[in-house]
Amino acid sequence: MNMSMTQIDTPILPPGPRWTLPVLRLWQLRQDPLGFLSSLARTYGDIAHFNIGPRHYYLLSHPDFVRQVLVDDAGAVHDGKAMQRLKALLGEGLPTNEGPVHAQMRQGMLPAFQQPALAEYLGKMNRQVTLHTADWQDGDVIDVAKAMNQLTLRIIGATLLAYDLSAELETLGSALETLTAFTDPLKMAASGWLLRLPTPQRRRARSATAALNRVIDDVLAVHRGGRALHPNGVVTHLLAMRNKDSAPLAEQTIRDHLVTLLRDAYETTATALARTWHLLAQHPEVEARLSAEVDALLGEVGEVNSETLPRLSYTRLVIKEALRLYPPTWIIERQTQRPLLVGGYEIPAGSDILMSQWTMHRDPRYYDDPGAFRPERWQTARGKRAPAFAYFPFGGGPSSCIGEQLAWTAGTLILAHIARHWRATNLREAATAGVVTGVIQDRPRPVDPVQIRLRRRS
């Protein structure tokens, strides 16, 4: 929806909170970014404006506006400040690149995230789930966030990296958690100057990045030595790629791509699964329906394969609903390269545009009882149908998540595989037994340990 300047009238700011001290606005964002954005959307509507000192932010809360920025006018915007600062920390990986370079690298890596590679990954995924859950016992209390984090790492290693990461789980988990906490998108966008100071947090982030690089160096050494677990992962494609001069990609370029890929795949899939199990523990009626589907489809074959995967429809809806309520990527930021006309308002060049999955996914205009966990809402014959870009957990347009199909495949397989043998019970009433229940705040990622009790299914 490209608009020429002749179509833009005299600039008028959209509604929004007016003057306040920059430090107060910054404090609001850092203390409760989700509450701040949700309040903006509820109070001021589909497009809201606020500023922090000289920087102007526009929050878009309508599916048409989100589509315009991510798809129709994608060439008129570029990555926001948060992603630009993330590039300085993690390097020139796929998520931190844009334009022709991003398109070229994406095209070269894409086969590792599509069929037939996904079909070949299924057996490896099943094996990793079996190995990871082998020591679980009936009545065990587990930190489900940590369990899903480690399982996700094992699967990323066995599929995309073609490398056994089982000995690196603690190192990688600690490093990725450090980076995830440090690279909170609004924190990076709103107070990037703090992130450039030699603070303990920044030193830990640098140390975490170095730890990831060391593991990636081992992965590359195994591939170059011909000892990879299989030839169809993303490392193989990166090693085979050539730049515009027909030369192999630089070592640092390959390393950057793998580090950013590891971070993004880990955060998205692991967080979604942790939230899903926590929700199932709170909603036994949903878990019962999930178990019934899994029993019916996997009762004889025993594990998820290319035939049963597409038939696990309710299992997929459970994950879809968990992603609606708790999208791991909860905000997307873009910066305008030229003026845009959005919703009748001019957004000047150099402005910051925010689009929040958290606020859009909970908008009552598109979802009945938006705070409720109801997977059946996604069935065609039930309730209202949310329009495109009222739901966008993986972004959209040319910069959408390259691993979306892999995430759906892995998430569905893991959930079904575990649900066939185990069910989760909530520990809310377990305090008298001396079990400390992790409090899972109303935010995309769990902060404290999230504990559930395992019960073996007969």
Side-chain angles (χ1 to χ4, degrees), residues 108-246:
M109 297 165 63
L110 199 56
F113 298 90
Q114 295 179 317
Q115 301 292 354
L118 292 179
E120 295 178 10
Y121 293 160
L122 294 179
K124 300 173 179 60
M125 292 180 184
N126 279 303
R127 174 170 171 75
Q128 293 304 316
V129 180
T130 299
L131 290 172
H132 192 67
T133 59
D135 295 333
W136 288 3
Q137 300 293 325
D138 186 43
D140 279 354
V141 175
I142 66 168
D143 177 355
V144 70
K146 182 176 181 179
M148 294 302 103
N149 290 345
Q150 292 187 343
L151 176 54
T152 298
L153 285 174
R154 296 182 71 131
I155 286 178
I156 293 170
T159 57
L160 293 180
L161 303 185
Y163 181 88
D164 183 3
L165 290 177
S166 58
E168 309 284 355
L169 296 181
E170 291 293 340
T171 298
L172 288 174
S174 176
L176 290 165
E177 285 299 310
T178 297
L179 282 179
T180 299
F182 184 77
T183 56
D184 177 83
L186 270 184
K187 183 189 298 182
M188 297 191 79
S191 54
W193 62 274
L194 288 174
L195 305 178
R196 293 190 290 271
L197 298 177
T199 61
Q201 293 87 347
R202 182 171 178 82
R203 286 194 294 271
R204 286 195 292 268
R206 289 290 184 189
S207 177
T209 303
L212 293 179
N213 279 319
R214 286 192 292 271
V215 174
I216 294 301
D217 285 342
D218 292 341
V219 173
L220 293 175
V222 165
H223 275 266
R224 291 197 166 104
R227 293 175 285 120
L229 296 177
H230 64 86
N232 298 319
V234 71
V235 181
T236 300
H237 293 286
L238 286 170
L239 292 174
M241 288 177 66
R242 296 294 181 265
N243 60 26
K244 61 182 179 181
D245 300 321
S246 300

Side-chain angles (χ1 to χ4, degrees), residues 89-112:
L89 180 66
L90 298 182
E92 301 278 349
L94 188 66
T96 55
N97 256 308
E98 51 188 330
V101 174
H102 175 93
Q104 178 189 6
M105 296 304 301
R106 184 185 180 95
Q107 190 62 33
M109 297 165 63
L110 199 56

Side-chain angles (χ1 to χ4, degrees), residues 268-298:
T268 301
T269 305
T271 300
L273 285 168
R275 282 297 192 184
T276 300
W277 281 108
H278 177 257
L279 287 164
L280 287 172
Q282 294 179 314
H283 297 84
E285 74 286 354
V286 175
E287 186 176 54
R289 184 172 174 184
L290 167 69
S291 298
E293 176 178 86
V294 170
D295 291 347
L297 291 175
L298 305 186

